[in-house]
Amino acid sequence: MVKVLRTVEELQRWRAQVRAAGRQVAFVPTMGSLHAGHLELMRAGRARVPAERGELVISIFVNPTQFNDANDLAAYPRDEAGDLALAAAEGVDVAFCPEPDALYPKGASTWVEVGGLDNHLCGASRPGHFRGVCTVVTKLWQLVAPDYGLFGRKDYQQLAILRRMHRDLFLCGEVVGVSTVREPDGLALSSRNVRLDPAARTQALAIPRFLDEVRARFEAGEREVEALLAGAGERLGAGEVHYVSAVDADDLQPVVRVEAPTLVALAVVFSGVRLIDNVLLEPGAS
Ligand code: PAF
């Protein structure tokens, strides 16, 4: 059985008991609508903190401050009972499921913002999004005080920003990045996939196909970004391309040649559903 905690006070009490018992904590923050990608994060957490040594904790909270679009927030899929059943099957000990005013009480006016890493990729078209993510993750991190916090590499920009925030604010524990989980046909798992109608679901396969082609061109020796991404618009088919960019994997600034680890990342909308994905190109890695 997963213990469900809903208030900050309950979570603080639980954390104090765990600390007093000398047990570790692995933490997977989520916005619910759990899929196999989240389950992979939980398994990675459990591998670091086995049941005999500590607690596996998730949060389920659709964070309003990271949505720029009220329709997107309203349409975000929610299924707490289903999520808790999946979490129980993964051996999750505790789920923190607060209401918005628990994390943003009346008058809350403190924000956490990481400079410099959000001017490209998703940050460019979603002003305030990463400020919302950083603010909520700081609040959750402060409360859960994990030994390990686990995040997917599909949201590479989010992971890079959270790593920087964690370092700059001297937060406890460690940020762990976990590989993207894909459907057998290559589509990256996302809570948004359930909103794709069958036609859009098929069209969205253009994303993994495109990224595979980029990797193949890179492995064949191509290093010029213009050539790697040539024809992206047509290659992504029916999707409305928000961006396709190649950026330095560390500082997330655009590059024109792949000379250091480089992220090719994209956001494409199919039938109103915005999907993101990426491939990391590492010169010198075999
Ligand atoms: O990746 C997500 O699901 C969210 O951005 C996170 C990290 C749970 C913060 O709301």
Side-chain angles (χ1 to χ4, degrees):
M1 268 287 281
V2 181
K3 187 200 292 260
V4 178
L5 305 178
R6 295 197 185 273
T7 68
V8 164
E9 295 69 28
E10 282 172 337
L11 184 62
Q12 285 170 323
R13 265 198 303 279
W14 166 84
R15 188 62 183 94
Q17 285 162 9
V18 170
R19 187 172 290 113
R23 290 171 67 71
Q24 289 194 313
V25 173
F27 178 41
V28 179
T30 82
M31 298 209 300
S33 193
L34 301 182
H35 52 64
H38 295 110
L39 305 186
E40 196 57 34
L41 298 180
M42 292 173 203
R43 284 172 207 148
R46 189 41 104 199
R48 280 170 177 76
V49 178
E52 61 277 13
R53 273 219 314 270
E55 309 280 313
L56 177 57
V57 183
I58 66 169
S59 57
I60 300 177
F61 180 65
V62 182
N63 175 34
T65 64
Q66 68 189 75
F67 286 81
N68 323 73
D69 176 353
N71 294 330
D72 201 19
L73 173 61
Y76 202 84
R78 291 166 169 85
D79 175 16
E80 189 183 286
D83 289 344
L84 291 174
L86 288 171
E90 289 304 322
V92 167
D93 298 296
V94 169
F96 179 49
C97 308
E99 290 298 323
D101 60 3
L103 288 184
Y104 297 101
K106 200 166 177 302
S109 57
T110 301
W111 298 96
V112 180
E113 194 157 6
V114 173
L117 297 181
D118 65 350
N119 42 1
H120 297 287
L121 311 180
C122 290
S125 60
R126 304 184 75 191
H129 168 70
F130 287 112
R131 183 175 91 141
V133 171
C134 288
T135 301
V136 80
V137 172
T138 302
K139 288 173 189 252
L140 292 167
W141 202 282
Q142 170 70 13
L143 291 165
V144 175
D147 294 280
Y148 304 97
L150 299 105
F151 299 89
R153 292 207 180 100
K154 179 167 75 72
D155 293 341
Y156 189 99
Q157 188 173 24
Q158 168 172 286
L159 177 61
I161 287 175
L162 291 175
R163 278 192 198 287
R164 183 70 63 89
M165 177 187 92
H166 178 266
R167 189 198 73 179
D168 289 354
L169 295 181
F170 309 106
L171 298 181
C172 68
E174 196 181 307
V175 172
V176 179
V178 177
S179 300
T180 303
V181 181
R182 296 179 181 279
E183 300 277 9
D185 60 12
L187 189 68
L189 294 189
S190 161
S191 304
R192 292 165 188 255
N193 290 357
V194 296
R195 288 166 51 202
L196 292 167
D197 59 43
R201 171 70 182 70
T202 304
Q203 290 164 354
L205 290 178
I207 293 179
R209 241 186 342 257
F210 171 75
L211 293 175
D212 283 349
E213 283 166 21
V214 169
R215 187 197 292 282
R217 289 179 187 192
F218 171 73
E219 283 172 357
E222 185 57 75
R223 293 293 181 267
E224 296 299 325
V225 165
E226 205 176 310
L228 287 166
L229 305 189
E234 301 86 74
R235 288 154 72 196
L236 286 163
E240 180 203 331
V241 177
H242 274 194
Y243 67 81
V244 181
S245 306
V247 296
D248 180 273
D250 182 45
D251 66 13
L252 305 186
Q253 297 307 304
V255 297
V256 292
R257 261 187 76 78
V258 180
E259 276 158 0
T262 295
L263 185 79
V264 171
L266 52 74
V268 186
V269 179
F270 291 91
S271 281
V273 183
R274 185 176 186 278
L275 301 177
I276 60 170
D277 202 349
N278 64 69
V279 62
L280 187 61
L281 306 177
E282 296 181 281
S286 54

